[in-house]
C-alpha cells in the first residue's frame, strides 16, 4: 500500500525536463562510467548505487546541470542502443574499421558495395558519424559477445540498461515462489533470444563470406596489375629524359665545346640514344665520338 501511495504521488508530479545531450556531455558521462567500471563498482554486470552516485556527482559538477539518475539512465540506454546497431552490423566484417578521425566506419568502395547489396539499410552508416565508438565499445561490446541481456558476472561485463536496477546488499530468495516463476519465464526468454542470436550470427557469416570474397578479389586484382606493370617495364624500351642524357654527358667528361652538339645528336636519334645507354658507361664517351666524328676512327 505504501508503494502505491508513493507511485500515485509521483504520478501527480510534473514531467521531468528533457535534457538535450551534446557530444561533450556524452564524453563526460562515458568517461565517468569507464572510471567506475575500472574501479570495480559493479556487481554481476550492474553498476552499484555507489557508482551511480559517483557518476551523478561528476556530471553535475563538470556540466553544471542538476541531473538526476533517470537522466543518466535514459542517456545510457540511448547510447547503448545506437552502439548495438553499429556493433551488430560491423562485428567481424573484414575490411571495415572505425576511424577516430572521421568518426565513421571506413572500407574500400567494393567492400561497402558488397555489404549494401546484402544489407541495404546499412547505407546510413556509410556517411553517418558515430561519436565515441571506442569508449562505447569498452563499455558495451562484451555485453553483445555474451548475448543481449545475459550477464555472466565477469569483471569485464557492463551494465545491461534494460535491467539497470541499483544493486543492494540483499539478494533474491530462490525459494520464493514468485522468484521461481520469474526465473522460469527468464529461461524461456533467454532461449528465444539465443535462437535469435544464432539466426543473426548466420546472417553475419554469410555477409562476412561475401565481403571476404570481394576483398580477396581486390587483392588478386592488385597483384595481377603489379605483375602487368613489371612485364610492361621489361618488354617496353626504356625512354630516357633529356635531363638524364645531359647529366650523363657531363658525367663522362664531354668537353664544354661540344656538349650541346652531343646532346642534340642523341636526343634527335632515339635508336642511337638506346644504343648509347645500352653499352657500359665507361664506353659512352668512346662510342659518342665514333658516331659524331667517324672520320677520326682508326
Amino acid at each position: 500500500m505504501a508503494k502505491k501511495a508513493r507511485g500515485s504521488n509521483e504520478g501527480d508530479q510534473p514531467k521531468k525536463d528533457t535534457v538535450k545531450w551534446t557530444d561533450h556531455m556524452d564524453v563526460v558521462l562515458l568517461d565517468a562510467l569507464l572510471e567506475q567500471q575500472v574501479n570495480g563498482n559493479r556487481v554481476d554486470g550492474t553498476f552499484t548505487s555507489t557508482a551511480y552516485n559517483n557518476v551523478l556527482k561528476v556530471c553535475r559538477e563538470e556540466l553544471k546541470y542538476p541531473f538526476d539518475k533517470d537522466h543518466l539512465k535514459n542517456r545510457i540506454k540511448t547510447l547503448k542502443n545506437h552502439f548495438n546497431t553499429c556493433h551488430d552490423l560491423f562485428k567481424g566484417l573484414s575490411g571495415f574499421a572505425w576511424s577516430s578521425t572521421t568518426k565513421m566506419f571506413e572500407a574500400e568502395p567494393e567492400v561497402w558495395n558488397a555489404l549494401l547489396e546484402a544489407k541495404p539499410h546499412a547505407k546510413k552508416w556509410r556517411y553517418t558519424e558515430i561519436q565515441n565508438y571506442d569508449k562505447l565499445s569498452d563499455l558495451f561490446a562484451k555485453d553483445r559477445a555474451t548475448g543481449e541481456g545475459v550477464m555472466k558476472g565477469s569483471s569485464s561485463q557492463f551494465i545491461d540498461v534494460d535491467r539497470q536496477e541499483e544493486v543492494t546488499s540483499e539478494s533474491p530468495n530462490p525459494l520464493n515462489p514468485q522468484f521461481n516463476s520469474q526465473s522460469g519465464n527468464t529461461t524461456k526468454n533467454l532461449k528465444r533470444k539465443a535462437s535469435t542470436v544464432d539466426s543473426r550470427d548466420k546472417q553475419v557469416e554469410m555477409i562476412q563470406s561475401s565481403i571476404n570474397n570481394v576483398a580477396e578479389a581486390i587483392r588478386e586484382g592488385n597483384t595481377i596489375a603489379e605483375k602487368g606493370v613489371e612485364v610492361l617495364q621489361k618488354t617496353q624500351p626504356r625512354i630516357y629524359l633529356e635531363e638524364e642524357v645531359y647529366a650523363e654527358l657531363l658525367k663522362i667528361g664531354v668537353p664544354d665545346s661540344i656538349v650541346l652538339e652531343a646532346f642534340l645528336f642523341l636526343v634527335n636519334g632515339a635508336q642511337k640514344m638506346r644504343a648509347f645507354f645500352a653499352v657500359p658507361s665507361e664506353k659512352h664517351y668512346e662510342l659518342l665520338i665514333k658516331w659524331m666524328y667517324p672520320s677520326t676512327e682508326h
Side-chain angles (χ1 to χ4, degrees):
M1 295 296 292
K3 290 185 177 180
K4 271 190 175 181
R6 185 176 62 180
S8 175
N9 291 336
E10 289 176 353
D12 295 336
Q13 293 177 356
K15 200 171 183 179
K16 293 182 181 295
D17 293 338
T18 300
V19 178
K20 185 175 181 180
W21 289 81
T22 65
D23 290 340
H24 172 65
M25 294 166 69
D26 284 342
V27 169
V28 172
L29 172 60
L30 294 175
D31 286 344
L33 292 171
L34 285 169
E35 182 178 3
Q36 295 306 308
Q37 180 171 268
V38 171
N39 291 341
N41 290 329
R42 178 188 54 217
V43 177
D44 292 337
T46 303
F47 275 133
T48 64
S49 57
T50 299
Y52 277 116
N53 290 334
N54 290 341
V55 172
L56 189 61
K57 180 180 178 182
V58 169
C59 290
R60 285 175 174 174
E61 290 179 353
E62 293 196 21
L63 300 175
K64 311 302 181 186
Y65 188 88
F67 294 101
D68 59 30
K69 291 181 182 179
D70 285 339
H71 287 139
L72 303 188
K73 291 180 179 181
N74 289 337
R75 187 55 180 172
I76 293 170
K77 184 172 184 177
T78 298
L79 291 173
K80 183 174 182 179
N81 288 340
H82 289 168
F83 169 80
N84 289 347
T85 300
C86 295
H87 180 268
D88 292 350
L89 177 62
F90 293 106
K91 180 182 65 175
L93 295 185
S94 176
F96 286 94
W98 181 78
S99 168
S100 59
T101 302
T102 64
K103 311 298 182 184
M104 294 187 293
F105 275 92
E106 297 182 350
E108 294 293 334
E110 295 85 354
V111 177
W112 259 114
N113 292 339
L115 175 61
L116 295 181
E117 184 175 351
K119 288 195 171 185
H121 66 274
K123 181 178 181 180
K124 167 187 176 182
W125 300 109
R126 190 169 187 175
Y127 306 106
T128 301
E129 291 185 357
I130 309 169
Q131 297 288 341
N132 305 308
Y133 189 84
D134 48 348
K135 298 178 188 292
L136 293 169
S137 183
D138 288 340
L139 291 172
F140 304 127
K142 291 187 178 180
D143 255 3
R144 307 304 289 167
T146 57
E148 184 178 2
V150 181
M151 309 306 296
K152 298 294 186 181
S154 166
S155 61
S156 63
Q157 295 304 313
F158 187 72
I159 178 174
D160 175 19
V161 183
D162 295 333
R163 65 172 189 87
Q164 53 182 352
E165 297 295 332
E166 295 178 13
V167 176
T168 64
S169 58
E170 297 181 358
S171 300
N173 183 358
L175 300 180
N176 187 309
Q178 183 178 359
F179 172 82
N180 291 334
S181 175
Q182 292 175 348
S183 177
N185 291 335
T186 301
T187 301
K188 293 179 182 178
N189 290 336
L190 292 180
K191 288 181 179 179
R192 284 197 295 269
K193 289 181 179 180
S195 176
T196 302
V197 170
D198 289 342
S199 176
R200 184 176 60 213
D201 288 344
K202 289 179 181 178
Q203 292 179 354
V204 171
E205 288 177 4
M206 293 174 62
I207 296 172
Q208 176 66 67
S209 177
S210 299
I211 292 177
N212 287 342
N213 291 338
V214 172
E216 182 63 27
I218 293 173
R219 286 192 291 269
E220 291 179 357
N222 291 339
T223 301
I224 292 172
E226 290 172 0
K227 291 182 178 179
V229 171
E230 291 178 5
V231 171
L232 287 175
Q233 289 175 343
K234 291 179 180 179
T235 56
Q236 290 186 347
R238 165 75 187 278
I239 298 176
Y240 292 92
L241 300 176
E242 288 80 356
E243 293 85 349
E244 294 179 279
V245 176
Y246 191 79
E248 182 62 21
L249 293 176
L250 296 180
K251 180 181 176 181
I252 64 177
V254 176
D256 290 343
S257 58
I258 65 169
V259 67
L260 294 180
E261 181 183 355
F263 174 75
L264 294 174
F265 177 82
L266 289 176
V267 298
N268 288 328
Q271 185 175 359
K272 281 187 169 56
M273 187 188 298
R274 290 196 300 272
F276 176 77
F277 282 100
V279 301
S281 59
E282 61 268 19
K283 296 291 185 180
H284 283 178
Y285 185 83
E286 180 183 349
L287 179 61
L288 182 63
I289 296 301
K290 286 184 178 183
W291 278 341
M292 294 177 63
Y293 307 107
S295 59
T296 62
E297 291 182 0
H298 298 289

